[in-house]
Amino acid sequence: MPIPIIVKGIADGLDTIPWIWSVFRYAPWVLLIGVLKYYFGGARNISERLMHSKVVMVTGGTSGIGASVVQELALRGAQVILLTRQPPSDLFLVEYIEDLRRTTKNNLIYAEQVDLTSLHSVRTFATKWIDNAPPRRLDAVILCGGIALPSSARTLTPDGIDAEWQVNYLSNFHLLSILSPALRVQPAHRDVRIIFTTSSGYIGAKFDLDTVRGLNSKTKNDSAQRKNVYAMSKFALMTFAQSFQRHLSAYKRPDGLPNCARVIVVDPGTCRTPGTRRWLTGGSLWGLLVYLITWPFWWLVLKSPQQGAQSILYAAMEETYGRGQGGWMIKECRQVDYARKDVADEDVGKRLWEFSEKQIEEAEKAGAVKRGLEKKEKEAEEEKKERKEKSSGKAPSAGSRRSKKNKA
Ligand SMILES: NC(=O)c1ccc[n+]([C@@H]2O[C@H](COP(=O)([O-])OP(=O)(O)OC[C@H]3O[C@@H](n4cnc5c(N)ncnc54)[C@H](OP(=O)(O)O)[C@@H]3O)[C@@H](O)[C@H]2O)c1
């Protein structure tokens, strides 16, 4: 069709072609938008690794970048275990998994509850996972779960820890510390990858352990400190990633073969995900209105979740990363150097590791006491109710201790 138009233009003059001057006027702009969109879209993963039979655990696989990673891995035949904050019986989750299974023609997609705001939930899952002989197959752990809260919306988790710090860093530390034996004992020929997602925010993090301690107090922290939490959590995650690689590599396997588990840190780039939207809008209606008005700009300069997933998929699939010492960083589907050398500082890593273990120990002890008290309170309440029912001559209510006793 364009050829007859061009011929007509040459033969009869451009003025005979309707709208031609408008096309000339707007074409450079359309081209510019196309070039910018292509540029901000980032690199594409071109690696082809067969994922059939590979067992991949993913946090944050229900939304944003993680959901795109899961979709692609499932399409390639991987067995995916989604670690989600909701229980597997949650209706939304059931529908989500059914949909994934249908669209990817892969039935090997499951969910396990791992709420990253609860150290108890992380421990319950991870101890259940490692309590298996022979050890279960595990080819990759992809950590996409995370939150970026507006600085006005700071909260503490039920463990009494800053939510952003716990979800983005501490729970990942807890999960991998418990799963570590299951990762180290995978057969030596297996290519096991642990993928951490970070953000370029880590470069500006003002990190010290006293600031982290201060975050968990109920008193309001100053706003500059609060803005630093996300960056600190990512800095800590990357420092831990390096320590975890050293920890895996130091393990002497009974078969004398080298370690087969490798850590990779990935910066997916800034994407238009629900998390980014919440952060940009500051969690307010006015913020949402401004976001909607300025949406064309965000559409142009931010990646889609699928584009953000590319570097993570590259880290999970590129052959090169199935060999060597591990501890690499990937951005735009390329290996890059860490912008800050202190993430690989052994001393910083050691102090952070000890601090994190202590923080978890204290929080878990307090959590166990709290759960014990709650249980006692519940039992006392039930007993009181039963006594009341007994004295009034009523039949015991379903589920009460007396009704259970009667049934037995
Ligand atoms: N988006 C970006 O521009 C960007 C840039 C650099 C790095 N990153 C990093 O990439 C990762 C994914 O980001 P995203 O923007 O795709 O995030 P997102 O859209 O907000 O999704 C976050 C995921 O984490 C899960 N999650 C949140 N709290 C949880 C909890 N307590 N327990 C278990 N799961 C929980 C969410 O589950 P629900 O579905 O249940 O909420 C969701 O699946 C994050 O680590 C983020 O820091 C993102």
Side-chain angles (χ1 to χ4, degrees), residues 337-351:
D337 289 332
Y338 289 98
R340 277 177 69 163
K341 297 288 168 230
D342 47 352
V343 291
D345 184 317
E346 275 195 45
D347 192 44
V348 176
K350 198 164 167 260
R351 276 188 286 126

Side-chain angles (χ1 to χ4, degrees), residues 113-228:
Q113 187 174 22
V114 177
D115 181 353
L116 298 171
T117 59
S118 158
L119 295 169
H120 181 63
S121 161
V122 173
R123 182 175 287 285
T124 307
F125 163 74
T127 45
K128 193 175 75 183
W129 179 271
I130 59 166
D131 185 19
N132 204 61
R136 296 187 208 198
R137 178 174 185 153
L138 187 54
D139 295 87
V141 181
I142 303 181
L143 302 167
C144 286
I147 49 172
L149 300 175
S151 52
S152 55
R154 295 291 166 197
T155 46
L156 295 185
T157 64
D159 289 314
I161 296 172
D162 182 272
E164 223 166 357
W165 173 256
Q166 182 166 344
V167 172
N168 294 348
Y169 165 65
L170 197 66
S171 285
N172 291 316
F173 172 92
H174 194 37
L175 178 68
L176 289 178
S177 304
I178 303 175
L179 288 182
S180 160
L183 292 163
R184 291 182 307 187
V185 298
Q186 295 296 314
H189 65 269
R190 196 163 287 160
D191 165 4
V192 181
R193 305 187 190 191
I194 303 112
I195 300 173
F196 294 74
T197 43
T198 187
S199 119
S200 48
Y202 87 96
I203 301 169
K206 292 184 191 71
F207 185 80
D208 69 78
L209 294 175
D210 285 335
T211 314
V212 178
R213 255 179 227 112
L215 291 177
N216 306 324
S217 70
K218 284 217 165 64
T219 55
K220 257 195 156 36
N221 305 108
D222 72 78
S223 78
Q225 199 181 51
R226 309 272 9 157
K227 278 183 189 144
N228 188 28

